[in-house]
Amino acid sequence: MGRLSKREIVELSNNYMMTNVARWWEDDPIVVESGKGAIIKDVDGREYIDLHAMHAVASQGYSHPKIINAVKEQLEKIFVVATDFYNEPQALLAKKLAEITPGKLKRSFFVNSGAEAVETAILLAKRAKSRPGIMALWMAFHGRTHMPRTLTGFSKYKKGMGAFPYGVFHIPNYYCYRCPLGLEYPSCNLQCARMVDDALKYAAPEDVAAFIAEPIQGTAGNIVPPADYFKVVKNILNQYDILFIADEVITGFGRTGKMFAIEHFGVEPDIMTMAKALGGGFPVAAAIATEEVGTSFKPLDHYSTYGGNPLAMAAALAAISVIEEEKLVEKAARDGEYMLKRLRELMDKHEIIGEVDGKGLLIGMELVKDRKTKEPAVEETVKFRSELRKRGVIIGPPGWTGSRVRINPPLVITREQIDAAINAIDESLEAIKR
């Protein structure tokens, strides 16, 4: 088969694929050919510094030789083993996850995607507590299969997709810059967290199995909660014997300067979901739970044919080794502090920046028309992304408001690439003033 041109690839995709995503830059789409480290290259040979990491998947960078070699080695042995059978890479990965996850998390269930991991966590919580109810947050994102879509707190992901499963209810999220309760931190006394108690009193707590939340809301715009938010929430959950599910699909494996983001907040989850960086680019995900909760499943309560396949397990073991050996957790903490400092310095120059916040290399930058009114600069954000692309830098789609820029590059990004990206951000913000 000969190499297709960019035009042919786009035409074939548009003619034969379902319209499942809103593709960026429709007038001149990027057709990716290859990647190395924090750089991706399109079929025309143009290179881009990637501040997106394919939705935080490529934390170890593109084409990492250790991950490639691990997959090649396993590929030559066997790459399909159904969950009915044992295999060595699966056993080793389950043990490794028990060692590196916080608290008493121990028992893993392997699947293929973050949404499947969330499905697993919810089924497990319901089985463990024999209760139907689940509490989630506004602006949460937990995936797009049916239950995760129900948990997701974005109306745009639900229109025309119902009816949704019974028993899920949402409460206001943490978003201090745009507090949904109209309060200000810290004088608010963490009312958003204390509303968990208020909501449970109305929802019949004896019917609620679990509360699920992202330690930092990623798809919403990389929104960081107040330091004590989860401590308050966990204390309330403990009073009602309700499980806490930490969704670390985006935030896990070093991205925030800790191996897992929940470690910033001093609480231990009963169940945790993970995906994206777990496989270093390979499709693999997991839910992990404490011994008490994780032994609640009975045989065939849940099943994934491909979930523990040795090829994915080998990729994940190598991906975790890269994080540990290259000290990417510590690097993300240092580089995150540096990026936050550089971006906050730009606030003195660009009035359009209303806020910059983040943990490690999970950063949100809010663009506003006016800092006092905080009106989202939606049109300007679209132009900003296009200007960045012209300068060889790509970012992902904005968060909830349409104007919160999400910055989450591969953790292997170099300081030189960070500086080049910051300069491009500066120039792009200057360009959209005109």
Side-chain angles (χ1 to χ4, degrees):
M1 182 184 296
R3 176 176 168 176
L4 298 178
S5 69
K6 175 178 175 177
R7 179 183 58 80
E8 290 171 327
I9 294 169
V10 172
E11 286 184 357
L12 283 174
S13 300
N14 289 340
N15 287 335
Y16 293 101
M17 292 179 64
M18 292 186 186
T19 308
N20 64 324
V21 292
R23 300 191 186 275
W24 311 338
W25 306 294
E26 284 289 359
D27 56 334
D28 184 23
I30 292 177
V31 179
V32 179
E33 181 180 66
S34 61
K36 188 73 172 177
I39 301 293
I40 63 170
K41 182 188 290 187
D42 67 18
V43 292
D44 295 327
R46 182 163 189 196
E47 294 186 344
Y48 298 89
I49 298 172
D50 180 14
L51 298 186
H52 175 237
M54 301 298 163
H55 297 285
V57 170
S59 287
Q60 298 85 348
Y62 298 98
S63 306
H64 197 288
K66 182 158 189 171
I67 299 173
I68 292 172
N69 290 336
V71 171
K72 281 183 178 179
E73 183 178 331
Q74 187 61 50
L75 193 62
E76 292 174 351
K77 295 177 182 178
I78 188 169
F79 58 89
V80 176
V81 175
T83 310
D84 313 62
F85 299 86
Y86 295 94
N87 71 76
E88 180 180 331
Q90 179 179 238
L92 291 174
L93 181 59
K95 180 176 182 290
K96 186 65 178 178
L97 292 179
E99 292 170 349
I100 66 174
T101 50
K104 298 178 181 178
L105 297 173
K106 179 182 177 183
R107 298 273 182 166
S108 288
F109 192 105
F110 295 111
V111 288
N112 310 288
S113 69
E116 290 176 76
V118 171
E119 294 272 6
T120 301
I122 298 303
L123 288 172
L124 180 62
K126 289 184 175 183
R127 170 61 83 184
K129 291 299 179 184
S130 297
R131 302 172 187 171
I134 304 293
M135 181 186 292
L137 295 177
W138 292 356
M139 292 172 61
F141 183 84
H142 297 292
R144 303 194 201 214
T145 55
H146 208 53
M147 176 54 80
R149 193 181 291 268
T150 307
L151 298 168
T152 292
F154 286 77
S155 60
K156 68 179 181 179
Y157 293 137
K158 296 183 175 184
K159 291 178 181 177
M161 297 290 183
F164 293 103
Y166 160 80
V168 173
F169 62 101
H170 293 79
I171 62 170
N173 61 320
Y174 51 82
Y175 190 3
C176 293
Y177 185 72
R178 298 182 184 278
C179 176
L181 301 175
L183 303 174
E184 291 189 8
Y185 179 79
S187 61
C188 63
N189 194 31
L190 290 174
Q191 187 59 33
C192 58
R194 300 184 194 283
M195 282 194 73
V196 172
D197 190 35
D198 297 332
L200 285 170
K201 288 174 181 175
Y202 290 101
E206 65 273 11
D207 290 337
V208 178
F211 168 87
I212 184 170
E214 303 154 273
I216 297 171
Q217 288 192 317
T219 301
N222 297 345
I223 298 171
V224 181
D228 290 333
Y229 174 85
F230 282 106
K231 287 182 181 178
V232 173
V233 169
K234 190 66 164 66
N235 286 337
I236 295 169
L237 298 178
N238 290 344
Q239 292 171 28
Y240 294 103
D241 191 29
I242 293 171
L243 300 176
F244 171 42
I245 303 172
D247 185 346
E248 295 261 7
V249 167
I250 289 176
T251 55
F253 298 98
R255 175 149 298 280
T256 67
K258 298 281 189 182
M259 184 62 84
F260 295 96
I262 198 63
E263 295 177 83
H264 288 286
F265 304 108
V267 301
E268 297 178 4
D270 302 291
I271 306 173
M272 192 166 76
T273 60
M274 59 192 83
K276 300 196 185 292
L278 171 58
F282 209 90
V284 55
I288 189 170
T290 62
E291 178 74 10
E292 179 184 2
V293 176
T295 52
S296 300
F297 272 158
K298 299 174 183 178
L300 299 183
D301 269 355
H302 194 37
Y303 189 87
S304 174
T305 303
Y306 296 106
N309 77 82
L311 198 60
M313 303 294 97
L317 283 165
I320 294 171
S321 293
V322 169
I323 292 171
E324 292 180 330
E325 292 169 7
E326 298 185 11
K327 300 187 184 305
L328 295 184
V329 179
E330 298 85 350
K331 181 179 182 301
R334 293 192 305 271
D335 287 346
E337 286 182 7
Y338 179 74
M339 286 197 81
L340 281 169
K341 178 177 179 293
R342 292 288 314 274
L343 289 168
R344 284 169 176 159
E345 288 171 352
L346 293 182
M347 294 182 71
D348 294 332
K349 183 177 180 181
H350 301 288
E351 284 288 323
I352 195 173
I353 304 176
E355 181 192 52
V356 178
D357 196 14
K359 291 280 189 187
L361 289 174
L362 191 73
I363 296 171
M365 181 174 72
E366 192 107 22
L367 301 186
V368 294
K369 293 181 182 292
D370 184 280
R371 285 185 179 175
K372 290 183 179 179
T373 65
K374 300 181 182 179
E375 180 184 351
V378 177
E379 299 84 1
E380 292 86 347
T381 302
V382 173
K383 294 176 183 177
F384 170 69
R385 293 173 69 206
S386 294
E387 291 293 334
L388 263 186
R389 186 211 169 156
K390 293 176 186 176
R391 291 163 175 81
V393 176
I394 59 169
I395 55 173
W400 170 258
T401 60
S403 66
R404 191 172 178 93
V405 176
R406 298 159 59 200
I407 298 172
N408 32 261
L411 306 188
V412 297
I413 191 169
T414 67
R415 192 56 65 91
E416 291 76 18
Q417 289 166 343
I418 290 174
D419 286 335
I422 296 293
N423 290 338
I425 289 171
D426 183 14
E427 293 174 4
S428 297
L429 290 172
E430 191 65 39
I432 65 175
K433 291 178 183 178
R434 305 182 189 121

